[in-house]
Amino acid sequence: MNFKIVADSSADMLSLSQVDFTSVPLKITVGDDTYVDDENLNVAEMVDVLDRFKGRSCTACPSPQEWVEAFGEADRVFCVTITSNLSGCCNAAKIAARDYENQHPGRKVFVVDTLSTGPEMQLIVEKIQEWILAGKSYEMICVEIMAYLSKTRLMFVLQSIKNLANNGRVNPALATLVGLLGIRIVGRASDQGTLQQLSKSRGDKKALAELLSYMKELGYQGGRVLIHHCENLPCAENLKKALEDLYPKAQIVIDAARGLCSFYAEKGGLLIGFETA
């Protein structure tokens, strides 16, 4: 049986070490410029352009045909997408899965609406790889995915919400306040896959303290943590140290956010995916 994992580029992954994998890029449009979120994207350059840009920017999801092409010749595909409540990726992937199965009788595609993005998606992709390598069946992995989704969470700390305001996702007045007063927005991906603000904090130190408190409330007890940052490695390292002080055996990995997640997190932002008990 030929297995493959496919994810849209909001998973912040370009490759997997031991299982066939394809990242399907979203696109970010800033004025007259369009950035493709693939291995050729200069994320830092895009972030700088976004930081200076005053107009409306937007994102575009892959077409069903792009998804079908990514499925390749696999007998069994696990397709992992950004939350359906922030993007049309999942719907396009479901159309592609139906077309792929119709074109290739006997093949199967399982589309996973993660109701999340970024590092939580990466946790899910890496767990699927683990199950494939362990020899579990396609049907069993489909069941395991849904159980694992109930045990993973996504939180964020944002220094700027200008792009979210420009795209109608948050109040522009709040975005201005955040920019002027050094306020950090601490929030999470809700159970419905939307952005849920939990608190406003002044400065990184207080924001990280509140973040840790919320992680505990959500059930974190020392499981895996993936910290993705948008040009804010020092803050990511401070969070890792704080977690290791509390949970010395925790597995914590820091990485840089790629294009789509950098668009939403903006410069200075953190995205944190973690396992609960």
Side-chain angles (χ1 to χ4, degrees):
M1 192 68 67
N2 180 13
F3 288 93
K4 185 171 188 179
I5 305 173
V6 178
D8 67 66
S9 61
S10 72
D12 283 344
M13 303 177 68
L14 294 174
S15 63
L16 272 177
S17 58
Q18 301 179 74
V19 171
D20 191 13
F21 174 82
T22 295
S23 173
V24 185
L26 287 96
K27 299 178 179 65
I28 301 105
T29 299
V30 186
D32 295 329
D33 297 321
T34 296
Y35 299 89
V36 180
D37 191 11
D38 61 14
E39 67 276 7
N40 299 311
L41 176 64
N42 186 325
V43 178
E45 178 185 290
M46 185 198 77
V47 170
D48 285 341
V49 170
L50 278 166
D51 198 39
R52 298 191 304 268
F53 188 65
K54 303 299 182 184
R56 184 178 174 86
S57 51
C58 63
T59 64
C61 66
S63 68
Q65 183 56 36
E66 288 176 288
W67 282 110
V68 169
E69 291 172 2
F71 298 160
E73 297 298 324
D75 299 311
R76 298 291 183 267
V77 179
F78 298 100
C79 177
V80 183
T81 78
I82 187 174
T83 172
S84 58
N85 279 312
L86 288 180
S87 171
C89 270
C90 186
N91 185 57
K94 287 179 178 179
I95 293 171
R98 181 195 63 203
D99 292 346
Y100 187 77
E101 290 176 349
N102 287 339
Q103 294 167 13
H104 306 283
R107 296 183 184 179
K108 298 291 182 183
V109 179
F110 186 69
V111 179
V112 184
D113 180 359
T114 65
L115 299 177
S116 189
T117 191
E120 186 175 3
M121 285 179 66
Q122 184 176 338
L123 284 173
I124 294 161
V125 168
E126 291 178 347
K127 184 60 73 170
I128 295 171
Q129 174 179 244
E130 180 182 314
W131 290 324
I132 292 172
L133 294 175
K136 292 192 176 184
S137 69
Y138 170 81
E139 292 76 16
M140 178 57 71
I141 294 174
C142 291
V143 173
E144 295 274 17
I145 289 170
M146 303 314 296
Y148 187 65
L149 277 170
S150 69
K151 297 180 180 179
T152 58
R153 300 288 184 271
L154 178 77
M155 293 199 65
F156 54 83
V157 179
L158 306 180
Q159 291 188 12
S160 171
I161 52 175
K162 182 184 73 172
N163 292 337
L164 291 169
N166 288 345
N167 289 278
R169 300 198 185 277
V170 299
N171 189 312
L174 175 61
T176 301
L177 187 67
V178 170
L180 289 175
L181 300 181
I183 289 174
R184 309 291 187 255
I185 300 296
V186 179
R188 61 171 292 217
S190 73
D191 294 341
Q192 294 74 40
T194 58
L195 301 177
Q196 179 183 356
Q197 178 185 317
L198 297 175
S199 65
K200 297 189 290 288
S201 305
R202 186 169 298 212
D204 288 339
K205 186 175 180 179
K206 187 175 181 181
L208 292 185
E210 293 200 359
L211 172 69
L212 287 169
S213 178
Y214 284 122
M215 286 178 67
K216 293 177 187 176
E217 285 184 20
L218 290 170
Y220 182 71
Q221 295 182 15
R224 291 193 67 211
V225 181
L226 301 180
I227 305 170
H228 292 184
H229 68 93
C230 181
E231 299 189 9
N232 198 355
L233 180 58
C235 192
E237 290 177 334
N238 286 339
L239 175 58
K240 180 180 180 181
K241 183 180 184 305
L243 284 164
E244 288 175 338
D245 288 344
L246 293 169
Y247 306 98
K249 295 183 179 180
Q251 297 178 354
I252 305 167
V253 177
I254 296 174
D255 206 349
R258 294 202 52 75
L260 196 283
C261 285
S262 292
F263 174 82
Y264 282 115
E266 299 189 51
K267 188 176 290 187
L270 299 182
L271 297 172
I272 304 96
F274 58 96
E275 297 175 337
T276 62

